[in-house]
């Protein structure tokens, strides 16, 4: 858990996500907790079918989520997850996972 101590920035981002974004008019359907079920709260997936997100390029993560949302990148589960997300949530999630230490 030494890593945890060094991870203040991501924890703040996580706190912001969990606290929600009342400024957004779009429906809230996604939180890091939900993503964590597959990708890990720490961005390290436990399943070999699921990609790690920790330390990935922020812009890449952002673009992939938009692509899932629009259906340009096809994947049943990610489409479902991305559908409920606002652009603000996508940006927050991309920043959060990009800030985590990669494995
Ligand atoms: C039910 C499991 C599941 C959940 C829940 C889930 N994902 Fe995913 N995610 C996947 C799988 C599987 C892939 C790989 C998709 C593919 O093969 O194209 C993926 C891919 C991604 C990618 C692209 C990664 C890459 O390397 O290209 C991003 C970004 C992502 N997920 C973000 C999220 C976020 C953010 C959440 C929470 C809102 C989330 N996912 C919730 C299973 C899940």
């Amino acid at each position: 858990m030494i890593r945890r101590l060094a991870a203040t920035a991501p924890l703040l981002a996580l706190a912001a996500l969990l606290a929600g974004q009342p400024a957004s008019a779009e429906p809230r359907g996604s939180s890091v907790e939900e993503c964590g079920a597959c990708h890990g709260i720490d961005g390290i997936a436990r399943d070999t079918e699921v990609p790690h997100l920790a330390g990935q390029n922020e812009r890449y993560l952002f673009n992939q989520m938009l692509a899932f949302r629009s259906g340009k990148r096809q994947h049943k589960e990610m489409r479902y997850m991305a559908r409920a997300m606002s652009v603000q949530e996508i940006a927050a999630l991309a920043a959060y996972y990009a800030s985590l230490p990669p494995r």
Side-chain angles (χ1 to χ4, degrees), residues 44-87:
I44 308 296
R46 269 72 189 170
D47 191 309
T48 53
E49 304 280 301
V50 184
H52 301 316
L53 302 180
Q56 182 56 272
N57 183 284
E58 183 176 343
R59 171 62 57 175
Y60 172 81
L61 292 173
F62 181 80
N63 287 339
Q64 294 314 304
M65 284 185 266
L66 282 188
F68 285 126
R69 195 172 77 156
S70 72
K72 193 173 146 203
R73 176 167 172 181
Q74 294 192 356
H75 190 264
K76 218 172 117 208
E77 279 143 349
M78 281 312 303
R79 176 96 207 263
Y80 177 79
M81 290 307 297
R83 258 185 148 149
M85 289 193 217
S86 68
V87 171

